[in-house]
Amino acid sequence: MTSPVNKIPTLRLGNHGREIGIQGLGCMGISEFYGPTDIQNVEAVIETAIEQGVNMFDTADMYGLGENERFLSPWVRRYRDKMFICTKFGYTRTPENPYDWSIDNRPEYIRTAVNRSLQRMQIDCIDLYYMHRRDPAVPLSDSIGTLADLVVEGKIGAVGLSAVNGDELREASAIHPISALQSEWSLFSRDIEQDVIPVAAELGITLVPYAPLGRGLLTNSTINTVLAENDARHHFPRFTRENLAANALIVAKVSAIAEAKNMSTAQVALAWLYTKAREMQISAIPIPGTRNRQRLAENLAAASMTLSINEMAELNELAEQIQGSAI
Ligand SMILES: NC(=O)c1ccc[n+]([C@@H]2O[C@H](COP(=O)([O-])OP(=O)(O)OC[C@H]3O[C@@H](n4cnc5c(N)ncnc54)[C@H](OP(=O)(O)O)[C@@H]3O)[C@@H](O)[C@H]2O)c1
């Protein structure tokens, strides 16, 4: 007899209504940035995630230069009703120009990008389509207007924005309902708390915190691991040798809090996010990225873990000591 699966709780996606599991899966690392991937392990991760009620799967057209969307294609087609597929456009890097990190929000570019993503995943509709980064040269009325047209045409189900400020979020929302805002938010990256989260909360937009584990820093593993040569974190200020040594001392204190609660460091990081989101009255679906089934189970378990006011205060104090910017 198989034991019953404990599914994660759900919430309704802002300005949309679809029931989404309160933790999603960040798929970026499967194809790029965090060293080599064992594909068999990842397949087990995706199967288990679906079994446990994860339905938000996060990719982008530029992850692996299209490979990440292609990798997800058979899964999305097989489990179409169980996978709420979220992808992004905006970075123009291609296999021909992998180092071109320009941003394009023009209507004609958006139309080309959406068709390419649909084709790569071999689906008719992208459930949530994010503008990955804002190009201020293109008025939001043009880019959001085009996304609104794509909703009417049935090519996308909902509109999302990534890493915009509160004013941009407000302006975009006046053109078309925005369902999700994806921005970096973790115990160690708290910039959006002041000006962005209150706007998202007011407008009923779901927050999708990316890099909720500080790109692996807020775990028991990364600091003790030698990063692969092509790991993108070599270029991030928090991971330089000097900063990493200082940050390891802070992470060790987070780990001590975790141990006292019989939790892992990653679980404390995620429980901090869920607790802080409740405090700020914002609905949030963090999307930790992992290619490992045990870690997935560990991260999902954190969806029902809470921290006390004192533990939150202790963690907030530690967060202030982090060295180096996130990117
Ligand atoms: N909108 C944007 O601009 C943007 C930017 C960055 C990322 N994202 C999205 O957000 C997702 C998540 O962000 P992220 O992947 O950069 O960072 P993250 O989720 O903060 O951390 C991922 C790293 O943590 C490790 N990890 C995960 N769970 C762990 C655990 N329980 N114990 C130990 N290590 C653990 C992973 O390694 P393993 O894989 O080896 O387990 C990986 O190295 C991405 O996949 C992507 O979809 C969006």
Side-chain angles (χ1 to χ4, degrees):
M1 205 172 85
T2 51
S3 56
V5 175
N6 282 331
K7 295 206 175 202
I8 54 170
T10 59
L11 57 76
R12 285 190 187 278
L13 188 72
N15 301 313
H16 184 272
R18 171 84 181 253
E19 288 277 341
I20 306 289
I22 65 166
Q23 193 173 121
L25 183 69
C27 296
M28 180 182 81
I30 297 170
S31 305
E32 206 179 0
F33 303 124
Y34 294 158
T37 294
D38 179 331
I39 284 300
Q40 271 185 340
N41 285 347
V42 175
E43 290 178 350
V45 166
I46 292 185
E47 288 280 2
T48 309
I50 291 171
E51 224 172 77
Q52 302 230 331
V54 171
N55 55 358
M56 177 174 276
F57 287 82
D58 189 77
T59 180
D61 57 2
M62 70 95 166
Y63 297 165
L65 305 164
E67 270 316 307
N68 204 239
E69 289 183 334
R70 253 182 236 112
F71 169 79
L72 285 172
S73 169
W75 298 96
V76 188
R77 285 181 294 134
R78 184 162 164 206
Y79 293 112
R80 191 65 195 95
D81 58 331
K82 293 186 173 152
M83 290 178 84
F84 187 80
I85 198 79
C86 313
T87 192
K88 321 183 189 78
F89 73 91
Y91 284 109
T92 59
R93 64 196 289 257
T94 58
E96 295 72 39
N97 291 302
Y99 303 109
D100 175 10
W101 289 88
S102 331
I103 294 161
D104 198 337
N105 293 171
R106 289 170 306 139
E108 55 272 36
Y109 177 79
I110 298 174
R111 287 196 165 275
T112 306
V114 78
N115 287 333
R116 281 189 192 143
S117 288
L118 287 168
Q119 205 189 6
R120 275 195 286 262
M121 290 188 279
Q122 297 178 44
I123 52 175
D124 299 327
C125 178
I126 291 160
D127 297 313
L128 172 61
Y129 199 41
Y130 289 104
M131 187 154 90
H132 208 155
R133 286 292 181 276
R134 167 95 204 277
D135 170 8
V138 177
L140 281 172
S141 52
D142 287 359
S143 51
I144 303 297
T146 304
L147 292 169
D149 291 344
L150 292 175
V151 172
V152 174
E153 291 164 31
K155 289 192 171 186
I156 66 173
V159 178
L161 292 172
S162 176
V164 293
N165 63 37
D167 291 341
E168 291 168 323
L169 196 54
R170 206 179 276 291
E171 190 185 335
S173 295
I175 301 164
H176 184 85
I178 303 299
S179 294
L181 168 70
Q182 182 170 138
S183 285
E184 179 156 3
W185 195 33
S186 72
L187 174 61
F188 286 169
S189 288
R190 302 185 53 187
D191 293 350
I192 64 169
E193 286 174 26
Q194 206 68 19
D195 299 323
V196 184
I197 293 184
V199 178
E202 177 197 323
L203 298 173
I205 296 167
T206 296
L207 184 66
V208 177
Y210 78 68
L213 303 175
R215 299 181 171 79
L217 190 58
L218 271 160
T219 69
N220 297 86
S221 71
T222 308
I223 285 166
N224 302 318
T225 310
V226 178
L227 299 180
E229 208 178 310
N230 64 350
D231 195 304
R233 288 171 289 196
H234 285 296
H235 308 290
F236 295 161
R238 280 185 189 163
F239 289 85
T240 62
R241 195 187 310 182
E242 203 177 52
N243 285 341
L244 198 53
N247 292 335
L249 301 176
I250 301 163
V251 176
K253 291 182 186 164
V254 177
S255 300
I257 295 173
E259 265 169 47
K261 286 186 71 79
N262 207 13
M263 289 163 73
S264 71
T265 310
Q267 286 177 328
V268 163
L270 291 168
W272 179 89
L273 264 183
Y274 287 116
T275 309
K276 190 72 191 163
R278 276 194 297 276
E279 194 185 295
M280 298 194 75
Q281 300 187 328
I282 180 88
S283 71
I285 305 176
I287 47 167
T290 184
R291 298 158 292 173
N292 174 302
R293 197 152 62 135
Q294 274 73 42
R295 289 176 178 178
L296 173 76
E298 186 184 314
N299 296 347
L300 290 176
S304 52
M305 292 174 172
T306 49
L307 297 169
S308 69
I309 293 174
N310 285 348
E311 287 155 353
M312 288 295 283
E314 221 179 311
L315 289 165
N316 293 341
E317 217 177 291
L318 290 173
E320 282 171 22
Q321 300 164 29
I322 196 80
Q323 299 295 307
S325 60
I327 45 169

